[in-house]
Coordinates of all heavy atoms in Angstrom, one line a residue:
M27 N -19.7 -16.8 21.3 CA -19.4 -15.5 20.6 C -20.6 -14.5 21.0 O -20.3 -13.4 21.3 CB -19.3 -15.7 19.1 CG -18.2 -16.6 18.7 SD -16.6 -15.8 18.8 CE -16.2 -15.7 17.1
S28 N -21.8 -15.0 20.9 CA -22.9 -14.1 21.2 C -22.9 -13.7 22.7 O -23.1 -12.5 23.0 CB -24.3 -14.8 20.9 OG -24.5 -14.9 19.5
N29 N -22.5 -14.7 23.5 CA -22.4 -14.3 25.0 C -21.3 -13.3 25.2 O -21.5 -12.4 26.0 CB -22.2 -15.6 25.8 CG -23.4 -16.5 25.9 OD1 -24.5 -16.1 25.6 ND2 -23.1 -17.8 26.2
L30 N -20.2 -13.5 24.5 CA -19.1 -12.5 24.7 C -19.5 -11.1 24.3 O -19.3 -10.1 24.9 CB -17.9 -13.0 23.9 CG -17.1 -14.1 24.5 CD1 -16.0 -14.5 23.5 CD2 -16.5 -13.7 25.8
Q31 N -20.2 -11.0 23.1 CA -20.6 -9.7 22.6 C -21.6 -9.1 23.6 O -21.5 -7.9 23.9 CB -21.2 -9.9 21.2 CG -21.6 -8.6 20.6 CD -20.5 -7.6 20.3 OE1 -19.5 -8.0 19.7 NE2 -20.5 -6.4 20.8
A32 N -22.5 -9.9 24.1 CA -23.6 -9.4 25.0 C -22.9 -9.0 26.3 O -23.3 -7.9 26.8 CB -24.6 -10.5 25.2
R33 N -22.0 -9.7 26.8 CA -21.4 -9.5 28.1 C -20.4 -8.3 28.1 O -20.3 -7.5 29.0 CB -20.7 -10.7 28.6 CG -20.1 -10.7 29.9 CD -19.7 -12.1 30.4 NE -18.9 -12.0 31.6 CZ -18.3 -13.0 32.1 NH1 -18.5 -14.2 31.6 NH2 -17.6 -12.9 33.2
L34 N -19.6 -8.2 27.0 CA -18.5 -7.3 27.0 C -18.5 -6.3 25.9 O -17.7 -5.4 25.8 CB -17.2 -8.0 26.9 CG -16.9 -9.0 28.1 CD1 -15.7 -9.9 27.8 CD2 -16.7 -8.2 29.4
G35 N -19.6 -6.3 25.0 CA -19.7 -5.4 23.9 C -19.7 -3.9 24.4 O -19.2 -3.1 23.7
G36 N -20.3 -3.6 25.5 CA -20.4 -2.3 26.0 C -19.0 -1.8 26.5 O -18.9 -0.6 26.8
K37 N -18.1 -2.7 26.6 CA -16.7 -2.3 27.1 C -15.7 -2.3 25.9 O -14.6 -2.5 26.1 CB -16.3 -3.3 28.1 CG -17.1 -3.3 29.4 CD -16.6 -4.3 30.4 CE -17.5 -4.3 31.6 NZ -17.0 -5.3 32.6
D38 N -16.2 -2.0 24.7 CA -15.4 -1.9 23.5 C -15.0 -3.2 22.9 O -14.2 -3.2 22.0 CB -14.1 -1.1 23.8 CG -14.3 0.3 24.1 OD1 -15.4 0.9 23.8 OD2 -13.5 1.0 24.8
L39 N -15.5 -4.3 23.3 CA -15.3 -5.6 22.6 C -16.2 -5.6 21.4 O -17.4 -5.4 21.4 CB -15.6 -6.8 23.5 CG -15.4 -8.1 22.8 CD1 -13.9 -8.5 22.6 CD2 -16.1 -9.3 23.5
V40 N -15.6 -6.0 20.2 CA -16.3 -6.2 19.0 C -16.0 -7.6 18.5 O -14.9 -7.9 18.3 CB -15.9 -5.2 17.9 CG1 -16.7 -5.4 16.6 CG2 -16.2 -3.7 18.4
V41 N -17.0 -8.4 18.4 CA -16.9 -9.8 17.9 C -17.2 -9.8 16.4 O -18.3 -9.3 16.0 CB -17.8 -10.8 18.7 CG1 -17.7 -12.2 18.1 CG2 -17.4 -10.8 20.2
I42 N -16.3 -10.3 15.7 CA -16.5 -10.5 14.2 C -16.2 -11.9 13.9 O -15.1 -12.4 14.2 CB -15.6 -9.5 13.4 CG1 -15.8 -8.1 13.8 CG2 -15.9 -9.7 11.9 CD1 -14.8 -7.1 13.2
A43 N -17.1 -12.6 13.2 CA -16.9 -14.0 12.8 C -16.7 -13.9 11.3 O -17.3 -13.2 10.6 CB -18.1 -14.8 13.1
V44 N -15.8 -14.8 10.8 CA -15.6 -14.9 9.4 C -16.1 -16.3 9.0 O -15.6 -17.3 9.5 CB -14.1 -14.8 9.1 CG1 -13.8 -14.9 7.6 CG2 -13.5 -13.4 9.5
N45 N -17.0 -16.3 8.1 CA -17.6 -17.5 7.6 C -17.0 -17.8 6.2 O -17.1 -17.0 5.3 CB -19.2 -17.3 7.5 CG -19.8 -18.6 7.0 OD1 -19.5 -19.2 6.0 ND2 -20.8 -19.1 7.8
V46 N -16.4 -19.0 6.1 CA -15.7 -19.4 4.9 C -16.5 -20.4 4.0 O -16.0 -21.0 3.1 CB -14.3 -19.9 5.1 CG1 -13.4 -18.8 5.6 CG2 -14.3 -21.1 6.1
D47 N -17.8 -20.6 4.4 CA -18.6 -21.6 3.6 C -18.7 -21.1 2.2 O -19.0 -20.0 1.9 CB -20.0 -21.7 4.2 CG -20.1 -22.5 5.5 OD1 -19.3 -23.5 5.6 OD2 -20.9 -22.2 6.4
K48 N -18.5 -22.0 1.3 CA -18.6 -21.7 -0.1 C -20.1 -21.7 -0.5 O -20.5 -21.0 -1.5 CB -17.9 -22.7 -1.0 CG -16.4 -22.5 -0.8 CD -15.6 -23.3 -1.8 CE -14.1 -23.3 -1.5 NZ -13.5 -22.0 -1.5
E49 N -20.9 -22.4 0.2 CA -22.4 -22.5 0.0 C -23.1 -21.6 1.0 O -23.2 -22.0 2.2 CB -22.8 -23.9 0.0 CG -24.3 -24.2 -0.2 CD -24.8 -23.6 -1.5 OE1 -24.2 -23.9 -2.6 OE2 -25.8 -22.8 -1.5
P50 N -23.7 -20.5 0.6 CA -24.3 -19.6 1.6 C -25.5 -20.3 2.3 O -25.7 -19.9 3.5 CB -24.9 -18.5 0.7 CG -24.1 -18.5 -0.6 CD -23.7 -20.0 -0.7
K51 N -26.1 -21.2 1.7 CA -27.3 -21.9 2.4 C -26.8 -22.6 3.6 O -27.6 -22.7 4.6 CB -28.0 -22.8 1.4 CG -28.8 -22.1 0.3 CD -29.5 -23.0 -0.6 CE -30.2 -22.2 -1.6 NZ -30.9 -23.1 -2.6
L52 N -25.6 -23.2 3.6 CA -25.1 -23.8 4.8 C -25.0 -22.9 6.0 O -25.4 -23.2 7.1 CB -23.7 -24.5 4.5 CG -23.7 -25.6 3.6 CD1 -22.3 -26.1 3.3 CD2 -24.5 -26.8 4.1
A53 N -24.4 -21.7 5.7 CA -24.3 -20.7 6.8 C -25.7 -20.2 7.2 O -25.9 -20.1 8.4 CB -23.5 -19.5 6.2
Q54 N -26.6 -20.0 6.3 CA -27.9 -19.5 6.7 C -28.6 -20.6 7.5 O -29.3 -20.2 8.5 CB -28.7 -19.2 5.4 CG -28.2 -18.0 4.7 CD -28.8 -17.9 3.3 OE1 -29.5 -18.8 2.8 NE2 -28.3 -16.9 2.6
K55 N -28.5 -21.8 7.2 CA -29.1 -22.9 8.0 C -28.5 -22.9 9.4 O -29.3 -23.0 10.4 CB -28.9 -24.2 7.3 CG -29.6 -25.4 8.0 CD -29.3 -26.7 7.2 CE -30.0 -27.9 8.0 NZ -29.7 -29.1 7.3
F56 N -27.2 -22.8 9.5 CA -26.6 -22.8 10.8 C -27.0 -21.6 11.6 O -27.4 -21.8 12.8 CB -25.0 -22.8 10.7 CG -24.3 -22.7 12.0 CD1 -24.1 -23.9 12.7 CD2 -23.9 -21.5 12.5 CE1 -23.5 -23.8 14.0 CE2 -23.2 -21.5 13.7 CZ -23.0 -22.6 14.4
L57 N -27.1 -20.4 11.0 CA -27.4 -19.2 11.8 C -28.9 -19.2 12.1 O -29.3 -18.6 13.1 CB -27.1 -18.0 11.0 CG -25.5 -17.8 10.9 CD1 -25.2 -16.7 9.9 CD2 -25.0 -17.4 12.2
A58 N -29.7 -19.9 11.4 CA -31.1 -20.0 11.7 C -31.3 -20.8 13.0 O -32.1 -20.5 13.9 CB -31.9 -20.7 10.6
A59 N -30.5 -21.8 13.2 CA -30.5 -22.6 14.4 C -29.7 -22.0 15.5 O -29.9 -22.3 16.7 CB -30.0 -24.0 14.1
N60 N -28.7 -21.2 15.2 CA -27.8 -20.6 16.2 C -27.7 -19.1 15.9 O -26.7 -18.6 15.3 CB -26.4 -21.2 16.1 CG -26.5 -22.7 16.3 OD1 -26.6 -23.2 17.4 ND2 -26.4 -23.4 15.2
P61 N -28.7 -18.3 16.2 CA -28.6 -16.9 15.9 C -27.4 -16.2 16.5 O -27.0 -16.5 17.6 CB -29.9 -16.3 16.5 CG -30.8 -17.5 16.8 CD -29.9 -18.7 17.0
A62 N -26.9 -15.2 15.8 CA -25.7 -14.5 16.2 C -26.0 -13.0 16.4 O -26.7 -12.4 15.6 CB -24.6 -14.6 15.1
N63 N -25.6 -12.5 17.5 CA -25.8 -11.0 17.7 C -24.5 -10.3 17.6 O -24.2 -9.4 18.3 CB -26.4 -10.8 19.1 CG -25.5 -11.1 20.3 OD1 -24.5 -11.8 20.1 ND2 -25.8 -10.6 21.4
F64 N -23.7 -10.7 16.6 CA -22.4 -10.1 16.3 C -22.2 -10.1 14.8 O -23.0 -10.7 14.1 CB -21.2 -10.8 17.0 CG -21.2 -12.3 16.8 CD1 -20.6 -12.9 15.6 CD2 -21.8 -13.2 17.6 CE1 -20.6 -14.2 15.4 CE2 -21.9 -14.6 17.4 CZ -21.2 -15.1 16.3
R65 N -21.2 -9.3 14.4 CA -21.0 -9.2 13.0 C -20.4 -10.4 12.3 O -19.6 -11.1 12.9 CB -20.1 -8.0 12.7 CG -19.9 -7.7 11.3 CD -19.0 -6.4 11.2 NE -18.8 -6.2 9.8 CZ -17.8 -5.4 9.3 NH1 -17.0 -4.8 10.2 NH2 -17.6 -5.3 8.1
I66 N -21.0 -10.8 11.1 CA -20.5 -11.9 10.4 C -20.0 -11.4 9.0 O -20.7 -10.7 8.3 CB -21.5 -13.0 10.2 CG1 -21.9 -13.5 11.6 CG2 -21.0 -14.1 9.4 CD1 -23.1 -14.5 11.6
V67 N -18.8 -11.8 8.7 CA -18.2 -11.4 7.4 C -18.1 -12.7 6.6 O -17.6 -13.7 7.1 CB -16.8 -10.8 7.6 CG1 -16.1 -10.5 6.2 CG2 -16.8 -9.6 8.4
Y68 N -18.6 -12.7 5.4 CA -18.6 -13.8 4.5 C -17.3 -13.8 3.6 O -17.1 -12.8 3.0 CB -19.8 -13.9 3.7 CG -21.0 -14.3 4.5 CD1 -21.8 -13.3 5.0 CD2 -21.3 -15.6 4.9 CE1 -22.9 -13.5 5.9 CE2 -22.3 -15.9 5.8 CZ -23.1 -14.8 6.2 OH -24.2 -15.1 7.1
D69 N -16.6 -14.8 3.6 CA -15.3 -14.9 2.8 C -15.2 -16.3 2.2 O -14.4 -17.1 2.5 CB -14.1 -14.7 3.8 CG -12.8 -14.7 3.1 OD1 -12.7 -14.4 1.9 OD2 -11.8 -15.1 3.7
P70 N -16.1 -16.6 1.2 CA -16.1 -17.9 0.6 C -14.8 -18.3 -0.2 O -14.5 -19.4 -0.4 CB -17.3 -17.9 -0.3 CG -17.6 -16.4 -0.6 CD -17.1 -15.7 0.6
E71 N -14.1 -17.3 -0.5 CA -12.8 -17.5 -1.2 C -11.7 -17.8 -0.3 O -10.6 -18.3 -0.7 CB -12.4 -16.4 -2.1 CG -13.5 -16.0 -3.2 CD -13.8 -17.2 -4.1 OE1 -12.9 -18.0 -4.5 OE2 -15.0 -17.5 -4.3
G72 N -11.9 -17.6 1.0 CA -10.9 -17.9 2.0 C -9.7 -17.0 2.1 O -8.7 -17.3 2.7
A73 N -9.9 -15.7 1.6 CA -8.7 -14.8 1.6 C -8.3 -14.4 3.1 O -7.1 -14.3 3.4 CB -9.1 -13.5 0.9
I74 N -9.3 -14.2 3.9 CA -9.0 -13.9 5.3 C -8.3 -15.0 6.0 O -7.3 -14.9 6.7 CB -10.3 -13.4 6.1 CG1 -10.8 -12.1 5.4 CG2 -10.0 -13.2 7.6 CD1 -12.2 -11.7 5.9
A75 N -8.9 -16.2 5.8 CA -8.3 -17.4 6.5 C -6.8 -17.6 6.0 O -5.9 -17.9 6.8 CB -9.1 -18.7 6.1
E76 N -6.6 -17.3 4.7 CA -5.2 -17.4 4.2 C -4.3 -16.4 4.8 O -3.2 -16.6 5.2 CB -5.3 -17.3 2.7 CG -3.9 -17.5 2.0 CD -4.0 -17.5 0.5 OE1 -5.0 -17.9 -0.1 OE2 -3.0 -17.0 -0.1
A77 N -4.8 -15.1 4.9 CA -4.0 -14.0 5.4 C -3.6 -14.3 6.8 O -2.5 -13.9 7.3 CB -4.8 -12.7 5.3
Y78 N -4.4 -15.0 7.6 CA -4.1 -15.3 9.0 C -3.6 -16.7 9.2 O -3.4 -17.1 10.3 CB -5.4 -15.1 9.9 CG -5.6 -13.6 10.2 CD1 -6.4 -12.8 9.3 CD2 -5.1 -13.0 11.3 CE1 -6.6 -11.5 9.6 CE2 -5.4 -11.7 11.6 CZ -6.1 -10.9 10.7 OH -6.3 -9.6 11.0
A79 N -3.3 -17.4 8.1 CA -2.8 -18.7 8.1 C -3.5 -19.7 9.1 O -3.0 -20.4 9.9 CB -1.3 -18.7 8.6
I80 N -4.9 -19.7 8.9 CA -5.7 -20.6 9.7 C -5.5 -22.0 9.4 O -5.5 -22.5 8.3 CB -7.2 -20.2 9.4 CG1 -7.5 -18.8 9.7 CG2 -8.1 -21.2 10.2 CD1 -7.3 -18.3 11.1
K81 N -5.2 -22.8 10.5 CA -5.0 -24.2 10.4 C -6.1 -25.1 11.0 O -6.2 -26.3 10.7 CB -3.6 -24.6 11.0 CG -2.5 -23.8 10.5 CD -2.1 -24.3 9.1 CE -0.8 -23.6 8.7 NZ -0.8 -23.2 7.4
A82 N -6.9 -24.5 11.9 CA -7.9 -25.2 12.6 C -9.2 -24.4 12.6 O -9.2 -23.1 12.6 CB -7.5 -25.5 14.0
M83 N -10.4 -25.0 12.6 CA -11.6 -24.4 12.7 C -12.3 -24.8 13.9 O -12.4 -26.0 14.2 CB -12.5 -24.7 11.5 CG -12.0 -24.1 10.2 SD -12.3 -22.3 10.2 CE -12.0 -22.0 8.5
P84 N -12.9 -23.9 14.7 CA -12.7 -22.5 14.6 C -11.3 -22.0 15.2 O -10.8 -22.7 16.0 CB -13.8 -21.9 15.5 CG -14.0 -22.9 16.5 CD -13.7 -24.3 15.9
T85 N -10.9 -20.9 14.7 CA -9.7 -20.2 15.3 C -10.2 -18.8 15.6 O -10.8 -18.2 14.9 CB -8.5 -20.2 14.3 OG1 -8.1 -21.5 14.0 CG2 -7.4 -19.3 14.8
S86 N -9.8 -18.4 16.8 CA -10.2 -17.1 17.3 C -8.9 -16.2 17.5 O -7.9 -16.8 18.1 CB -11.0 -17.2 18.6 OG -12.1 -17.9 18.4
F87 N -9.0 -15.0 17.1 CA -7.9 -14.1 17.4 C -8.5 -12.9 18.3 O -9.5 -12.4 18.0 CB -7.4 -13.4 16.1 CG -6.7 -14.4 15.2 CD1 -7.4 -15.0 14.1 CD2 -5.4 -14.8 15.4 CE1 -6.8 -15.9 13.3 CE2 -4.8 -15.7 14.5 CZ -5.5 -16.2 13.5
L88 N -7.7 -12.6 19.3 CA -8.0 -11.4 20.1 C -7.0 -10.3 19.6 O -5.8 -10.5 19.7 CB -7.8 -11.7 21.5 CG -8.0 -10.5 22.5 CD1 -9.4 -9.9 22.4 CD2 -7.6 -10.9 23.9
I89 N -7.6 -9.3 19.0 CA -6.8 -8.2 18.4 C -7.0 -7.0 19.3 O -8.1 -6.5 19.6 CB -7.3 -7.9 17.0 CG1 -7.1 -9.2 16.1 CG2 -6.5 -6.7 16.4 CD1 -7.6 -9.1 14.7
G90 N -5.9 -6.4 19.7 CA -5.9 -5.3 20.6 C -6.3 -4.0 19.9 O -6.5 -3.9 18.7
R91 N -6.4 -3.0 20.7 CA -6.9 -1.6 20.2 C -5.9 -1.1 19.1 O -6.2 -0.3 18.3 CB -7.0 -0.6 21.3 CG -8.0 -1.0 22.3 CD -8.0 0.0 23.5 NE -8.6 -0.6 24.7 CZ -9.8 -0.3 25.1 NH1 -10.6 0.4 24.3 NH2 -10.3 -0.8 26.2
D92 N -4.6 -1.6 19.2 CA -3.6 -1.1 18.3 C -3.5 -2.0 17.0 O -2.7 -1.8 16.2 CB -2.2 -1.1 19.0 CG -1.8 -2.5 19.4 OD1 -2.5 -3.4 19.3 OD2 -0.7 -2.6 20.0
G93 N -4.4 -3.0 16.9 CA -4.4 -3.8 15.7 C -3.5 -5.0 15.8 O -3.5 -5.8 14.8
Q94 N -2.8 -5.2 16.9 CA -1.9 -6.3 17.0 C -2.6 -7.5 17.7 O -3.4 -7.3 18.6 CB -0.7 -5.9 17.9 CG 0.1 -4.8 17.3 CD 0.7 -5.2 15.9 OE1 1.3 -6.2 15.8 NE2 0.5 -4.3 14.9
I95 N -2.3 -8.7 17.3 CA -2.9 -9.9 17.8 C -2.3 -10.1 19.2 O -1.1 -10.2 19.5 CB -2.5 -11.1 17.0 CG1 -3.2 -11.0 15.6 CG2 -3.0 -12.4 17.6 CD1 -2.9 -12.0 14.6
R96 N -3.2 -10.3 20.2 CA -2.9 -10.5 21.6 C -2.9 -12.0 22.0 O -2.2 -12.4 22.8 CB -3.9 -9.7 22.5 CG -3.9 -8.3 22.4 CD -2.6 -7.7 23.0 NE -2.6 -6.3 23.0 CZ -2.1 -5.6 22.0 NH1 -1.5 -6.2 20.9 NH2 -2.1 -4.2 22.0
A97 N -3.9 -12.7 21.4 CA -4.0 -14.1 21.7 C -4.6 -14.8 20.5 O -5.4 -14.3 19.8 CB -4.8 -14.3 23.0
T98 N -4.3 -16.1 20.4 CA -4.9 -17.0 19.4 C -5.4 -18.2 20.1 O -4.7 -18.8 20.9 CB -3.8 -17.4 18.3 OG1 -3.3 -16.2 17.7 CG2 -4.4 -18.2 17.2
H99 N -6.6 -18.6 19.7 CA -7.2 -19.8 20.3 C -7.6 -20.7 19.1 O -8.4 -20.3 18.3 CB -8.4 -19.5 21.2 CG -8.0 -18.7 22.4 ND1 -7.5 -19.3 23.5 CD2 -8.2 -17.4 22.6 CE1 -7.3 -18.3 24.4 NE2 -7.7 -17.2 23.9
K100 N -7.1 -21.9 19.1 CA -7.5 -22.9 18.0 C -8.5 -23.9 18.6 O -8.3 -24.4 19.6 CB -6.3 -23.6 17.5 CG -5.3 -22.6 16.8 CD -4.1 -23.3 16.3 CE -3.2 -22.2 15.7 NZ -1.9 -22.7 15.4
G101 N -9.6 -24.1 17.9 CA -10.6 -24.9 18.3 C -11.4 -24.2 19.4 O -11.2 -23.1 19.7
F102 N -12.4 -24.9 20.0 CA -13.2 -24.4 21.1 C -13.5 -25.5 22.1 O -14.0 -26.5 21.7 CB -14.5 -23.7 20.6 CG -15.3 -23.2 21.8 CD1 -14.9 -22.0 22.4 CD2 -16.3 -24.0 22.3 CE1 -15.7 -21.6 23.5 CE2 -17.1 -23.5 23.4 CZ -16.7 -22.3 24.0
R103 N -13.1 -25.2 23.3 CA -13.4 -26.1 24.4 C -14.0 -25.3 25.5 O -13.4 -24.3 26.0 CB -12.1 -26.8 24.9 CG -11.5 -27.7 23.9 CD -10.2 -28.3 24.4 NE -9.2 -27.4 24.8 CZ -8.3 -26.7 23.9 NH1 -8.4 -27.0 22.7 NH2 -7.4 -25.9 24.4
P104 N -15.2 -25.6 25.9 CA -15.9 -24.9 27.0 C -15.1 -24.7 28.2 O -15.1 -23.7 28.9 CB -17.2 -25.6 27.3 CG -17.5 -26.4 26.0 CD -16.1 -26.7 25.4
E105 N -14.2 -25.7 28.5 CA -13.4 -25.6 29.8 C -12.3 -24.5 29.7 O -11.7 -24.2 30.7 CB -12.8 -27.0 30.1 CG -11.9 -27.5 29.1 CD -12.5 -28.4 28.0 OE1 -13.7 -28.4 27.9 OE2 -11.8 -29.1 27.3
D106 N -12.1 -24.0 28.5 CA -11.1 -22.9 28.3 C -11.7 -21.5 28.4 O -11.0 -20.6 28.2 CB -10.4 -23.1 27.0 CG -9.5 -24.3 26.9 OD1 -9.1 -24.9 28.0 OD2 -9.1 -24.8 25.9
E107 N -13.0 -21.5 28.6 CA -13.7 -20.2 28.6 C -13.0 -19.2 29.6 O -12.9 -18.0 29.3 CB -15.2 -20.3 28.9 CG -15.9 -19.1 28.8 CD -17.4 -19.3 29.0 OE1 -17.9 -20.4 29.0 OE2 -18.1 -18.2 29.1
Y108 N -12.6 -19.6 30.8 CA -12.0 -18.7 31.7 C -10.7 -18.1 31.1 O -10.5 -16.9 31.3 CB -11.7 -19.4 33.0 CG -11.0 -18.5 34.0 CD1 -11.8 -17.6 34.8 CD2 -9.6 -18.5 34.2 CE1 -11.2 -16.7 35.7 CE2 -9.0 -17.7 35.1 CZ -9.8 -16.8 35.8 OH -9.2 -15.9 36.7
E109 N -9.9 -18.9 30.4 CA -8.7 -18.4 29.8 C -9.1 -17.4 28.7 O -8.4 -16.3 28.6 CB -7.9 -19.6 29.2 CG -6.7 -19.1 28.5 CD -5.9 -20.3 27.8 OE1 -6.4 -21.4 27.9 OE2 -4.9 -20.0 27.1
Y110 N -10.1 -17.7 27.9 CA -10.5 -16.7 26.9 C -10.9 -15.4 27.5 O -10.5 -14.3 27.1 CB -11.7 -17.2 26.1 CG -11.5 -18.6 25.4 CD1 -12.6 -19.3 25.1 CD2 -10.3 -19.0 25.0 CE1 -12.5 -20.6 24.4 CE2 -10.1 -20.3 24.4 CZ -11.2 -21.0 24.1 OH -11.1 -22.2 23.4
L111 N -11.7 -15.5 28.5 CA -12.2 -14.2 29.2 C -11.0 -13.5 29.8 O -11.0 -12.2 29.8 CB -13.2 -14.6 30.3 CG -14.6 -15.0 29.8 CD1 -15.5 -15.5 30.9 CD2 -15.2 -13.8 29.0
S112 N -10.1 -14.2 30.4 CA -8.9 -13.5 31.0 C -8.1 -12.7 30.0 O -7.7 -11.6 30.2 CB -8.1 -14.6 31.7 OG -6.8 -14.4 31.6
H113 N -7.9 -13.3 28.8 CA -7.2 -12.6 27.7 C -8.0 -11.4 27.2 O -7.4 -10.3 27.0 CB -7.0 -13.5 26.5 CG -5.9 -14.6 26.8 ND1 -5.9 -15.8 26.1 CD2 -4.9 -14.6 27.6 CE1 -4.9 -16.5 26.6 NE2 -4.3 -15.8 27.5
I114 N -9.3 -11.6 27.1 CA -10.2 -10.5 26.6 C -10.2 -9.3 27.6 O -10.0 -8.1 27.3 CB -11.6 -10.9 26.4 CG1 -11.6 -11.9 25.1 CG2 -12.5 -9.8 26.1 CD1 -12.9 -12.7 25.0
E115 N -10.3 -9.6 28.9 CA -10.4 -8.6 29.9 C -9.1 -7.9 30.0 O -9.0 -6.6 30.2 CB -10.8 -9.2 31.3 CG -12.3 -9.6 31.2 CD -12.8 -10.4 32.4 OE1 -11.9 -10.9 33.2 OE2 -14.0 -10.6 32.6
A116 N -7.9 -8.6 29.9 CA -6.6 -7.9 29.9 C -6.5 -6.9 28.7 O -6.0 -5.8 28.8 CB -5.5 -8.9 29.8
A117 N -7.0 -7.3 27.5 CA -6.9 -6.5 26.4 C -7.8 -5.2 26.5 O -7.5 -4.1 26.1 CB -7.3 -7.2 25.1
L118 N -9.0 -5.4 27.2 CA -9.9 -4.3 27.4 C -9.3 -3.3 28.4 O -9.7 -2.1 28.4 CB -11.3 -4.8 27.8 CG -12.1 -5.5 26.8 CD1 -13.3 -6.2 27.4 CD2 -12.5 -4.6 25.7
R119 N -8.4 -3.7 29.2 CA -7.8 -2.8 30.2 C -6.7 -2.0 29.6 O -6.2 -1.0 30.2 CB -7.3 -3.6 31.4 CG -8.3 -4.1 32.3 CD -7.8 -4.6 33.6 NE -6.9 -5.7 33.5 CZ -7.3 -7.0 33.4 NH1 -8.5 -7.3 33.6 NH2 -6.4 -8.0 33.3
E120 N -6.2 -2.4 28.4 CA -5.2 -1.6 27.7 C -5.6 -0.2 27.4 O -6.8 0.0 27.0 CB -4.7 -2.3 26.4 CG -4.0 -3.6 26.7 CD -3.7 -4.4 25.4 OE1 -3.9 -3.8 24.3 OE2 -3.1 -5.5 25.5
P121 N -4.7 0.8 27.5 CA -5.1 2.1 27.1 C -5.3 2.3 25.6 O -4.8 1.5 24.9 CB -3.9 3.0 27.6 CG -2.8 2.0 27.6 CD -3.3 0.7 27.9
Q122 N -6.1 3.3 25.3 CA -6.3 3.6 23.9 C -4.9 4.0 23.3 O -4.2 4.7 24.0 CB -7.3 4.8 23.7 CG -8.7 4.5 24.1 CD -9.4 3.6 23.1 OE1 -8.9 3.4 22.0 NE2 -10.6 3.1 23.4
P123 N -4.6 3.6 22.1 CA -3.3 4.0 21.5 C -3.4 5.5 21.2 O -4.4 6.0 20.9 CB -3.2 3.2 20.2 CG -4.6 2.6 20.0 CD -5.3 2.7 21.3
A124 N -2.2 6.1 21.3 CA -2.1 7.6 20.9 C -2.3 7.7 19.5 O -1.9 6.9 18.6 CB -0.7 8.1 21.4
K125 N -3.0 8.8 19.1 CA -3.3 9.1 17.7 C -2.2 10.0 17.1 O -1.6 10.8 17.7 CB -4.6 9.6 17.5 CG -5.7 8.6 17.8 CD -7.1 9.2 17.5 CE -8.1 8.1 17.8 NZ -9.4 8.5 17.5

């Protein structure tokens, strides 16, 4: 996630992670060992996970400029990075929606 934000953040990509840990110290410990250079939203009650019907951790959503979900990735496998990047780059090529 940090690599994606660093690599594509200047091209309108915004990475937001949702942390559902009920114990803030767990998240703080993880982030101390794995610093994040992207936005983290804390949702210990799981409202966001419920709204998006999350079944696996981690789950990633690519949301287009128009607010619609373009791709969903469940779990994380380094060998799928090319696929993730291809979806992101396609979304970044989309035109800005008319206002």
Side-chain angles (χ1 to χ4, degrees):
M27 300 280 248
S28 288
N29 289 340
L30 285 173
Q31 182 66 53
R33 183 172 169 183
L34 300 170
K37 296 180 180 179
D38 293 338
L39 177 74
V40 177
V41 175
I42 303 170
V44 178
N45 183 303
V46 294
D47 284 324
K48 293 191 185 301
E49 179 56 50
K51 289 182 182 178
L52 292 175
Q54 292 166 357
K55 182 178 178 182
F56 177 82
L57 290 171
N60 303 281
N63 67 343
F64 50 87
R65 184 172 174 201
I66 299 174
V67 175
Y68 292 95
D69 181 30
E71 301 304 317
I74 296 169
E76 185 176 327
Y78 283 86
I80 303 297
K81 303 288 186 221
M83 290 290 191
T85 295
S86 301
F87 294 97
L88 176 60
I89 300 173
R91 298 174 200 264
D92 61 358
Q94 299 298 310
I95 295 173
R96 296 286 184 271
T98 302
H99 298 280
K100 295 177 181 169
F102 177 77
R103 292 178 305 276
E105 62 270 17
D106 292 341
E107 186 174 346
Y108 179 78
E109 178 184 359
Y110 303 155
L111 285 172
S112 137
H113 288 153
I114 292 167
E115 289 169 348
L118 289 172
R119 287 191 298 272
E120 293 176 2
Q122 294 283 350
K125 292 185 179 183

